[in-house]
Amino acid sequence: MFFRGLGVYARNPGLVLLGIVPGLISGALYLAGFAALIYYASDLAELITPFADDWSDWTRDGFRLVAGLALVGLGAMLGVLTFTAVTLVIGDPFYEKISERVEGRYGGVPDEVEVPWWRSLRRSLADSLRLILRSALVGVPLFLAGFIPIVGQFVVPVIAALVGGWFLAVELVGVPFYRRGMRLGDRRRVLRANRPLALGFGVAVFLCFLIPLGAVLLMPAAVAGAALLSRRALGQPVGEPAPGPVAAPIGRS
């Protein structure tokens, strides 16, 4: 679903123009924040490990190096997850239009629910905050597990990709589910019934978002893929699209 969404996005310059501005704004903010985290990682590691002050030099420095790396890793995971939520809020009308046009190519949404943009934004904010809180609750134990030798370096990243991919999938299908009058609980229920499909999509997006500028460039493709994922999970057709351009002037046709 992600790569099909990427194909739809890449072949339509109109969708690129719709999707690139919110990603650039969020990307600049998050890039600055992540650079600051890396720059101050050693100071933060020292701040959270005062108990190591009396250790021998090599033990203390080695432990704080692991702590700094764990902080950067946690920041990357939370950054990917919150980037999606923040960018979807900033670009809500743009991404809603991308999702709508992609679905229109595959037959549209039967009995679409028309929701005023301000109400949609309010719901999106509330659901995004709930997802961010859930991801933080999972991220903290993973951060602590990062201190465990071997497990923290090999097992935790895999678990983080699976957990992060799941939360990304739940977040990204928000727009097409809102269009059908369905909320966060409905998203989780439907995706749980299609867990392999949802995880395959979400983990692919998660890994691509870890690439520098990947989240900025590929967010619209992820939104397009999420529209296809939603249709597949809800049993609606995702076969050959109807002929005609995806892109159109901004505004409901």
Side-chain angles (χ1 to χ4, degrees):
M1 295 296 100
F2 174 60
F3 289 115
R4 287 183 64 179
L6 179 60
V8 172
Y9 169 63
R11 289 193 299 268
N12 291 272
L15 295 186
V16 176
L17 293 176
L18 275 175
I20 197 170
V21 174
L24 287 175
I25 295 173
S26 295
L29 294 174
Y30 274 78
L31 186 61
F34 193 63
L37 175 61
I38 294 176
Y39 183 79
Y40 291 107
S42 60
D43 294 331
L44 291 173
E46 183 176 349
L47 182 65
I48 65 175
T49 58
F51 52 84
D53 288 342
D54 297 329
W55 295 3
S56 62
D57 290 345
W58 70 270
T59 305
R60 181 184 63 247
D61 294 344
F63 186 80
R64 285 176 173 169
L65 175 62
V66 172
L69 292 174
L71 281 172
V72 172
L74 176 63
M77 178 183 173
L78 293 180
V80 168
L81 295 173
T82 59
F83 176 90
T84 306
V86 170
T87 306
L88 285 173
V89 170
I90 293 174
D92 185 74
F94 297 93
Y95 294 134
E96 184 175 349
K97 184 58 62 177
I98 290 174
S99 180
E100 177 186 334
R101 291 178 183 176
V102 171
E103 290 213 68
R105 292 276 284 174
Y106 291 86
V109 178
D111 302 321
E112 179 176 351
V113 177
E114 295 287 346
V115 180
W117 71 267
W118 55 268
R119 185 179 298 172
S120 175
L121 180 61
R122 185 182 64 189
R123 290 180 179 179
S124 178
L125 279 170
D127 288 348
S128 294
L129 287 174
R130 289 168 64 186
L131 278 172
I132 290 172
L133 178 60
R134 288 173 181 268
S135 64
L137 290 175
V138 174
V140 170
L142 288 176
F143 164 70
L144 296 176
F147 289 99
I148 303 174
I150 300 178
V151 172
Q153 289 70 52
F154 296 99
V155 178
V156 170
V158 175
I159 297 175
L162 291 172
V163 172
W166 172 257
F167 281 120
L168 278 179
V170 174
E171 180 69 46
L172 286 166
V173 300
V175 171
F177 271 70
Y178 287 143
R179 195 177 296 120
R180 294 164 171 82
M182 304 172 78
R183 294 294 302 275
L184 178 59
D186 301 305
R187 285 186 255 166
R188 293 202 302 264
R189 174 178 53 80
V190 172
L191 292 185
R192 277 198 299 266
N194 297 268
R195 195 181 299 273
L197 180 67
L199 280 175
F201 171 81
V203 171
V205 175
F206 182 88
L207 295 177
C208 287
F209 278 14
L210 290 177
I211 300 170
L213 299 181
V216 175
L217 298 175
L218 296 176
M219 174 64 87
V223 171
L228 299 177
L229 170 65
S230 300
R231 296 184 67 83
R232 172 69 66 81
L234 292 168
Q236 295 172 343
V238 290
E240 289 298 318
V246 173
I250 297 177
R252 186 174 297 279
S253 55

